[in-house]
Amino acid sequence: MSVITDKLGRPLKDLRISVIDRCNFRCTYCMPKEIFGKDFVFMPREQLLSFEEIERIAKIYVGLGVRKIRLTGGEPLLRRDLPNLIKRLTEIDGLEDIGLTTNGSLLGHMAERLKDAGLQRVNVSLDALNEELFQSINDSGVKPERVLKGIEKAKEAGLEVKVNMVVKKGMNDQEIVPMAAYFKEQGIALRYIEFMDVGQSNGWDFSKVITKKQIFEELKQHFDLEPVEPAYLGEVAQRYRYRDTSAEVGFITSVSESFCSTCTRARIAADGKMYTCLFAEKGVDFREMLRSGMSDEKIKDEVVHIWNHRTDRYSDERTEESAKNRSKVEMSYIGG
């Protein structure tokens, strides 16, 4: 089948699948306790897509040109028997790459099972090395040592590891250089993510954003960096290499230098709704289609129709006003 494209000529190449809306962290910029407290009602198991349903929808997307799948959450390692799903997905003919985004707290005792199931890559979220600061950010008592041990176990198991750091002014900007120095030494790629206005609950505004340019200027005072060419169309990170090593650092600049023009990514939320943008207001219910007896061919037609009519470019159009007034789904629901 020929490549399907949207209204702006962007092909469908990547799929992110959220396997659960729960998380064992309560990061203040994502799932603050004031909103996601003990009384918060998460999805019951029957509302989540089953592994069979995820495999089925993944096959349909791969048949339409998707070559990369990333599993997200919530915290995906909270989903019971996740390696079984990974094994199913790796057996899909035509799928070239499967990754996982995790907070790393459960990675230590699962890394080998994940690798054995066929996982290739993990992106670990870590916003500080300082113990007190990290615990204040995740608001759940987990120390950075636990995440670092998970990263070590993942490397030992043979997984490719990248670390993602959300940078927010007044929260963890003092950790920019220490994080770079530590992961340079470890030979692990670190990516700085500009604080984004995902969802309704993280209290975002422009004044809390530290831009790629600002971070880069700070890093230049300590490291000699050279740019790296993008590896593929739709690569979201602007990458740089430390000249004296093969280690890299990257920047995800969805606020200051948007990359909507090359976005090739669709998202499936934990309840089976498809979204064509991280900042979307509404999704299309594929769980209902899967459970109503609709054929794969008809579901494929629905995906083609949605993608062909896609015009999303929220980050290109973002203003302070639109960021505050537009209703957007939460990061923990749609997956990062």
PDB file of all heavy atoms in Angstrom, residues 152-179:
ATOM      1  N   GLU A 152      21.203   1.206  34.908  1.00  0.00           N
ATOM      2  CA  GLU A 152      22.371   0.314  34.868  1.00  0.00           C
ATOM      3  C   GLU A 152      21.963  -1.104  34.464  1.00  0.00           C
ATOM      4  O   GLU A 152      22.611  -1.739  33.626  1.00  0.00           O
ATOM      5  CB  GLU A 152      23.039   0.307  36.241  1.00  0.00           C
ATOM      6  CG  GLU A 152      24.348  -0.443  36.303  1.00  0.00           C
ATOM      7  CD  GLU A 152      24.958  -0.410  37.700  1.00  0.00           C
ATOM      8  OE1 GLU A 152      24.684   0.542  38.473  1.00  0.00           O
ATOM      9  OE2 GLU A 152      25.710  -1.342  38.018  1.00  0.00           O
ATOM     10  N   LYS A 153      20.876  -1.591  35.060  1.00  0.00           N
ATOM     11  CA  LYS A 153      20.385  -2.941  34.739  1.00  0.00           C
ATOM     12  C   LYS A 153      19.938  -3.025  33.279  1.00  0.00           C
ATOM     13  O   LYS A 153      20.136  -4.049  32.611  1.00  0.00           O
ATOM     14  CB  LYS A 153      19.225  -3.318  35.659  1.00  0.00           C
ATOM     15  CG  LYS A 153      19.635  -3.571  37.102  1.00  0.00           C
ATOM     16  CD  LYS A 153      20.403  -4.862  37.244  1.00  0.00           C
ATOM     17  CE  LYS A 153      20.658  -5.199  38.712  1.00  0.00           C
ATOM     18  NZ  LYS A 153      21.483  -6.427  38.838  1.00  0.00           N
ATOM     19  N   ALA A 154      19.315  -1.954  32.782  1.00  0.00           N
ATOM     20  CA  ALA A 154      18.866  -1.934  31.387  1.00  0.00           C
ATOM     21  C   ALA A 154      20.058  -2.012  30.442  1.00  0.00           C
ATOM     22  O   ALA A 154      20.039  -2.753  29.445  1.00  0.00           O
ATOM     23  CB  ALA A 154      18.048  -0.674  31.120  1.00  0.00           C
ATOM     24  N   LYS A 155      21.120  -1.266  30.746  1.00  0.00           N
ATOM     25  CA  LYS A 155      22.332  -1.316  29.925  1.00  0.00           C
ATOM     26  C   LYS A 155      22.958  -2.704  29.959  1.00  0.00           C
ATOM     27  O   LYS A 155      23.375  -3.247  28.936  1.00  0.00           O
ATOM     28  CB  LYS A 155      23.347  -0.268  30.406  1.00  0.00           C
ATOM     29  CG  LYS A 155      23.034   1.156  29.986  1.00  0.00           C
ATOM     30  CD  LYS A 155      24.134   2.104  30.411  1.00  0.00           C
ATOM     31  CE  LYS A 155      25.420   1.880  29.632  1.00  0.00           C
ATOM     32  NZ  LYS A 155      26.494   2.813  30.045  1.00  0.00           N
ATOM     33  N   GLU A 156      23.009  -3.289  31.148  1.00  0.00           N
ATOM     34  CA  GLU A 156      23.580  -4.629  31.291  1.00  0.00           C
ATOM     35  C   GLU A 156      22.790  -5.668  30.497  1.00  0.00           C
ATOM     36  O   GLU A 156      23.358  -6.632  29.972  1.00  0.00           O
ATOM     37  CB  GLU A 156      23.619  -5.032  32.770  1.00  0.00           C
ATOM     38  CG  GLU A 156      24.664  -4.293  33.594  1.00  0.00           C
ATOM     39  CD  GLU A 156      24.565  -4.599  35.085  1.00  0.00           C
ATOM     40  OE1 GLU A 156      23.677  -5.414  35.468  1.00  0.00           O
ATOM     41  OE2 GLU A 156      25.345  -4.027  35.860  1.00  0.00           O
ATOM     42  N   ALA A 157      21.484  -5.443  30.400  1.00  0.00           N
ATOM     43  CA  ALA A 157      20.628  -6.380  29.663  1.00  0.00           C
ATOM     44  C   ALA A 157      20.758  -6.205  28.150  1.00  0.00           C
ATOM     45  O   ALA A 157      20.260  -7.031  27.380  1.00  0.00           O
ATOM     46  CB  ALA A 157      19.163  -6.189  30.086  1.00  0.00           C
ATOM     47  N   GLY A 158      21.409  -5.119  27.727  1.00  0.00           N
ATOM     48  CA  GLY A 158      21.599  -4.891  26.299  1.00  0.00           C
ATOM     49  C   GLY A 158      20.597  -3.958  25.673  1.00  0.00           C
ATOM     50  O   GLY A 158      20.491  -3.871  24.434  1.00  0.00           O
ATOM     51  N   LEU A 159      19.842  -3.246  26.486  1.00  0.00           N
ATOM     52  CA  LEU A 159      18.889  -2.266  25.976  1.00  0.00           C
ATOM     53  C   LEU A 159      19.596  -0.948  25.691  1.00  0.00           C
ATOM     54  O   LEU A 159      20.481  -0.523  26.434  1.00  0.00           O
ATOM     55  CB  LEU A 159      17.776  -2.031  26.996  1.00  0.00           C
ATOM     56  CG  LEU A 159      16.808  -3.194  27.229  1.00  0.00           C
ATOM     57  CD1 LEU A 159      15.998  -2.965  28.500  1.00  0.00           C
ATOM     58  CD2 LEU A 159      15.874  -3.375  26.036  1.00  0.00           C
ATOM     59  N   GLU A 160      19.189  -0.284  24.608  1.00  0.00           N
ATOM     60  CA  GLU A 160      19.655   1.079  24.359  1.00  0.00           C
ATOM     61  C   GLU A 160      18.900   2.004  25.310  1.00  0.00           C
ATOM     62  O   GLU A 160      17.671   1.900  25.435  1.00  0.00           O
ATOM     63  CB  GLU A 160      19.376   1.491  22.913  1.00  0.00           C
ATOM     64  CG  GLU A 160      19.806   2.914  22.586  1.00  0.00           C
ATOM     65  CD  GLU A 160      19.309   3.399  21.242  1.00  0.00           C
ATOM     66  OE1 GLU A 160      18.994   2.557  20.374  1.00  0.00           O
ATOM     67  OE2 GLU A 160      19.225   4.624  21.064  1.00  0.00           O
ATOM     68  N   VAL A 161      19.618   2.879  26.005  1.00  0.00           N
ATOM     69  CA  VAL A 161      18.995   3.731  27.014  1.00  0.00           C
ATOM     70  C   VAL A 161      19.196   5.208  26.663  1.00  0.00           C
ATOM     71  O   VAL A 161      20.300   5.628  26.313  1.00  0.00           O
ATOM     72  CB  VAL A 161      19.577   3.481  28.419  1.00  0.00           C
ATOM     73  CG1 VAL A 161      18.887   4.370  29.460  1.00  0.00           C
ATOM     74  CG2 VAL A 161      19.443   2.007  28.811  1.00  0.00           C
ATOM     75  N   LYS A 162      18.118   5.967  26.740  1.00  0.00           N
ATOM     76  CA  LYS A 162      18.181   7.424  26.683  1.00  0.00           C
ATOM     77  C   LYS A 162      17.485   7.962  27.921  1.00  0.00           C
ATOM     78  O   LYS A 162      16.562   7.320  28.446  1.00  0.00           O
ATOM     79  CB  LYS A 162      17.501   7.978  25.431  1.00  0.00           C
ATOM     80  CG  LYS A 162      18.212   7.614  24.137  1.00  0.00           C
ATOM     81  CD  LYS A 162      17.450   8.144  22.936  1.00  0.00           C
ATOM     82  CE  LYS A 162      18.137   7.723  21.642  1.00  0.00           C
ATOM     83  NZ  LYS A 162      17.339   8.099  20.456  1.00  0.00           N
ATOM     84  N   VAL A 163      17.919   9.123  28.379  1.00  0.00           N
ATOM     85  CA  VAL A 163      17.319   9.743  29.562  1.00  0.00           C
ATOM     86  C   VAL A 163      16.640  11.043  29.152  1.00  0.00           C
ATOM     87  O   VAL A 163      17.222  11.850  28.411  1.00  0.00           O
ATOM     88  CB  VAL A 163      18.380  10.011  30.646  1.00  0.00           C
ATOM     89  CG1 VAL A 163      17.793  10.824  31.802  1.00  0.00           C
ATOM     90  CG2 VAL A 163      18.938   8.683  31.169  1.00  0.00           C
ATOM     91  N   ASN A 164      15.415  11.227  29.605  1.00  0.00           N
ATOM     92  CA  ASN A 164      14.649  12.446  29.331  1.00  0.00           C
ATOM     93  C   ASN A 164      14.545  13.291  30.590  1.00  0.00           C
ATOM     94  O   ASN A 164      14.150  12.785  31.643  1.00  0.00           O
ATOM     95  CB  ASN A 164      13.232  12.105  28.852  1.00  0.00           C
ATOM     96  CG  ASN A 164      13.220  11.458  27.483  1.00  0.00           C
ATOM     97  OD1 ASN A 164      14.178  11.564  26.719  1.00  0.00           O
ATOM     98  ND2 ASN A 164      12.126  10.786  27.168  1.00  0.00           N
ATOM     99  N   MET A 165      14.870  14.559  30.475  1.00  0.00           N
ATOM    100  CA  MET A 165      14.771  15.491  31.605  1.00  0.00           C
ATOM    101  C   MET A 165      13.866  16.653  31.221  1.00  0.00           C
ATOM    102  O   MET A 165      14.196  17.438  30.326  1.00  0.00           O
ATOM    103  CB  MET A 165      16.162  16.021  31.976  1.00  0.00           C
ATOM    104  CG  MET A 165      16.152  17.085  33.066  1.00  0.00           C
ATOM    105  SD  MET A 165      17.803  17.817  33.283  1.00  0.00           S
ATOM    106  CE  MET A 165      17.477  18.991  34.620  1.00  0.00           C
ATOM    107  N   VAL A 166      12.724  16.761  31.868  1.00  0.00           N
ATOM    108  CA  VAL A 166      11.871  17.944  31.698  1.00  0.00           C
ATOM    109  C   VAL A 166      12.490  19.083  32.504  1.00  0.00           C
ATOM    110  O   VAL A 166      12.751  18.925  33.700  1.00  0.00           O
ATOM    111  CB  VAL A 166      10.431  17.680  32.172  1.00  0.00           C
ATOM    112  CG1 VAL A 166       9.603  18.967  32.149  1.00  0.00           C
ATOM    113  CG2 VAL A 166       9.775  16.608  31.309  1.00  0.00           C
ATOM    114  N   VAL A 167      12.734  20.209  31.857  1.00  0.00           N
ATOM    115  CA  VAL A 167      13.355  21.351  32.531  1.00  0.00           C
ATOM    116  C   VAL A 167      12.309  22.440  32.744  1.00  0.00           C
ATOM    117  O   VAL A 167      11.694  22.928  31.791  1.00  0.00           O
ATOM    118  CB  VAL A 167      14.535  21.917  31.710  1.00  0.00           C
ATOM    119  CG1 VAL A 167      15.208  23.046  32.483  1.00  0.00           C
ATOM    120  CG2 VAL A 167      15.542  20.822  31.385  1.00  0.00           C
ATOM    121  N   LYS A 168      12.125  22.797  34.000  1.00  0.00           N
ATOM    122  CA  LYS A 168      11.152  23.823  34.359  1.00  0.00           C
ATOM    123  C   LYS A 168      11.830  24.872  35.230  1.00  0.00           C
ATOM    124  O   LYS A 168      12.498  24.543  36.208  1.00  0.00           O
ATOM    125  CB  LYS A 168       9.971  23.181  35.107  1.00  0.00           C
ATOM    126  CG  LYS A 168       8.896  24.166  35.544  1.00  0.00           C
ATOM    127  CD  LYS A 168       7.790  23.427  36.300  1.00  0.00           C
ATOM    128  CE  LYS A 168       6.781  24.397  36.893  1.00  0.00           C
ATOM    129  NZ  LYS A 168       5.756  23.691  37.698  1.00  0.00           N
ATOM    130  N   LYS A 169      11.657  26.123  34.840  1.00  0.00           N
ATOM    131  CA  LYS A 169      12.303  27.221  35.576  1.00  0.00           C
ATOM    132  C   LYS A 169      11.824  27.239  37.026  1.00  0.00           C
ATOM    133  O   LYS A 169      10.634  27.155  37.310  1.00  0.00           O
ATOM    134  CB  LYS A 169      11.981  28.560  34.911  1.00  0.00           C
ATOM    135  CG  LYS A 169      12.775  29.738  35.472  1.00  0.00           C
ATOM    136  CD  LYS A 169      12.469  31.030  34.723  1.00  0.00           C
ATOM    137  CE  LYS A 169      13.031  30.996  33.323  1.00  0.00           C
ATOM    138  NZ  LYS A 169      12.848  32.271  32.600  1.00  0.00           N
ATOM    139  N   GLY A 170      12.784  27.314  37.939  1.00  0.00           N
ATOM    140  CA  GLY A 170      12.453  27.348  39.357  1.00  0.00           C
ATOM    141  C   GLY A 170      12.234  25.987  39.972  1.00  0.00           C
ATOM    142  O   GLY A 170      12.062  25.865  41.183  1.00  0.00           O
ATOM    143  N   MET A 171      12.235  24.943  39.132  1.00  0.00           N
ATOM    144  CA  MET A 171      12.041  23.588  39.650  1.00  0.00           C
ATOM    145  C   MET A 171      13.364  22.840  39.669  1.00  0.00           C
ATOM    146  O   MET A 171      13.810  22.374  40.727  1.00  0.00           O
ATOM    147  CB  MET A 171      11.013  22.814  38.819  1.00  0.00           C
ATOM    148  CG  MET A 171      10.776  21.387  39.305  1.00  0.00           C
ATOM    149  SD  MET A 171       9.572  20.442  38.316  1.00  0.00           S
ATOM    150  CE  MET A 171      10.586  19.930  36.914  1.00  0.00           C
ATOM    151  N   ASN A 172      14.017  22.727  38.507  1.00  0.00           N
ATOM    152  CA  ASN A 172      15.218  21.894  38.432  1.00  0.00           C
ATOM    153  C   ASN A 172      16.273  22.444  37.485  1.00  0.00           C
ATOM    154  O   ASN A 172      17.142  21.690  37.024  1.00  0.00           O
ATOM    155  CB  ASN A 172      14.850  20.465  38.021  1.00  0.00           C
ATOM    156  CG  ASN A 172      14.227  20.401  36.630  1.00  0.00           C
ATOM    157  OD1 ASN A 172      13.717  21.404  36.120  1.00  0.00           O
ATOM    158  ND2 ASN A 172      14.258  19.228  36.026  1.00  0.00           N
ATOM    159  N   ASP A 173      16.229  23.737  37.167  1.00  0.00           N
ATOM    160  CA  ASP A 173      17.194  24.287  36.217  1.00  0.00           C
ATOM    161  C   ASP A 173      18.635  24.197  36.733  1.00  0.00           C
ATOM    162  O   ASP A 173      19.580  24.190  35.948  1.00  0.00           O
ATOM    163  CB  ASP A 173      16.836  25.714  35.799  1.00  0.00           C
ATOM    164  CG  ASP A 173      16.239  26.562  36.905  1.00  0.00           C
ATOM    165  OD1 ASP A 173      15.576  26.009  37.791  1.00  0.00           O
ATOM    166  OD2 ASP A 173      16.431  27.790  36.881  1.00  0.00           O
ATOM    167  N   GLN A 174      18.817  24.107  38.045  1.00  0.00           N
ATOM    168  CA  GLN A 174      20.172  23.971  38.602  1.00  0.00           C
ATOM    169  C   GLN A 174      20.788  22.609  38.309  1.00  0.00           C
ATOM    170  O   GLN A 174      21.984  22.399  38.527  1.00  0.00           O
ATOM    171  CB  GLN A 174      20.156  24.222  40.121  1.00  0.00           C
ATOM    172  CG  GLN A 174      19.464  23.150  40.954  1.00  0.00           C
ATOM    173  CD  GLN A 174      17.972  23.403  41.134  1.00  0.00           C
ATOM    174  OE1 GLN A 174      17.302  23.900  40.231  1.00  0.00           O
ATOM    175  NE2 GLN A 174      17.447  23.075  42.307  1.00  0.00           N
ATOM    176  N   GLU A 175      19.980  21.678  37.788  1.00  0.00           N
ATOM    177  CA  GLU A 175      20.456  20.324  37.507  1.00  0.00           C
ATOM    178  C   GLU A 175      20.894  20.139  36.052  1.00  0.00           C
ATOM    179  O   GLU A 175      21.321  19.041  35.670  1.00  0.00           O
ATOM    180  CB  GLU A 175      19.347  19.312  37.827  1.00  0.00           C
ATOM    181  CG  GLU A 175      19.049  19.161  39.310  1.00  0.00           C
ATOM    182  CD  GLU A 175      20.092  18.300  40.015  1.00  0.00           C
ATOM    183  OE1 GLU A 175      20.123  17.075  39.794  1.00  0.00           O
ATOM    184  OE2 GLU A 175      20.901  18.867  40.774  1.00  0.00           O
ATOM    185  N   ILE A 176      20.796  21.177  35.240  1.00  0.00           N
ATOM    186  CA  ILE A 176      21.111  21.051  33.812  1.00  0.00           C
ATOM    187  C   ILE A 176      22.535  20.555  33.603  1.00  0.00           C
ATOM    188  O   ILE A 176      22.767  19.576  32.877  1.00  0.00           O
ATOM    189  CB  ILE A 176      20.888  22.403  33.090  1.00  0.00           C
ATOM    190  CG1 ILE A 176      19.392  22.723  33.020  1.00  0.00           C
ATOM    191  CG2 ILE A 176      21.516  22.383  31.699  1.00  0.00           C
ATOM    192  CD1 ILE A 176      19.081  24.132  32.535  1.00  0.00           C
ATOM    193  N   VAL A 177      23.503  21.205  34.209  1.00  0.00           N
ATOM    194  CA  VAL A 177      24.916  20.833  34.018  1.00  0.00           C
ATOM    195  C   VAL A 177      25.274  19.531  34.740  1.00  0.00           C
ATOM    196  O   VAL A 177      25.916  18.653  34.143  1.00  0.00           O
ATOM    197  CB  VAL A 177      25.852  21.988  34.428  1.00  0.00           C
ATOM    198  CG1 VAL A 177      27.308  21.543  34.414  1.00  0.00           C
ATOM    199  CG2 VAL A 177      25.650  23.181  33.498  1.00  0.00           C
ATOM    200  N   PRO A 178      24.872  19.335  36.013  1.00  0.00           N
ATOM    201  CA  PRO A 178      25.173  18.050  36.669  1.00  0.00           C
ATOM    202  C   PRO A 178      24.621  16.831  35.908  1.00  0.00           C
ATOM    203  O   PRO A 178      25.295  15.801  35.818  1.00  0.00           O
ATOM    204  CB  PRO A 178      24.508  18.186  38.042  1.00  0.00           C
ATOM    205  CG  PRO A 178      24.499  19.656  38.314  1.00  0.00           C
ATOM    206  CD  PRO A 178      24.277  20.299  36.976  1.00  0.00           C
ATOM    207  N   MET A 179      23.426  16.954  35.350  1.00  0.00           N
ATOM    208  CA  MET A 179      22.850  15.847  34.575  1.00  0.00           C
ATOM    209  C   MET A 179      23.693  15.580  33.323  1.00  0.00           C
ATOM    210  O   MET A 179      23.981  14.426  32.985  1.00  0.00           O
ATOM    211  CB  MET A 179      21.408  16.166  34.190  1.00  0.00           C
ATOM    212  CG  MET A 179      20.420  16.083  35.342  1.00  0.00           C
ATOM    213  SD  MET A 179      19.860  14.392  35.725  1.00  0.00           S
ATOM    214  CE  MET A 179      18.782  14.049  34.333  1.00  0.00           C
TER     215      MET A 179
END
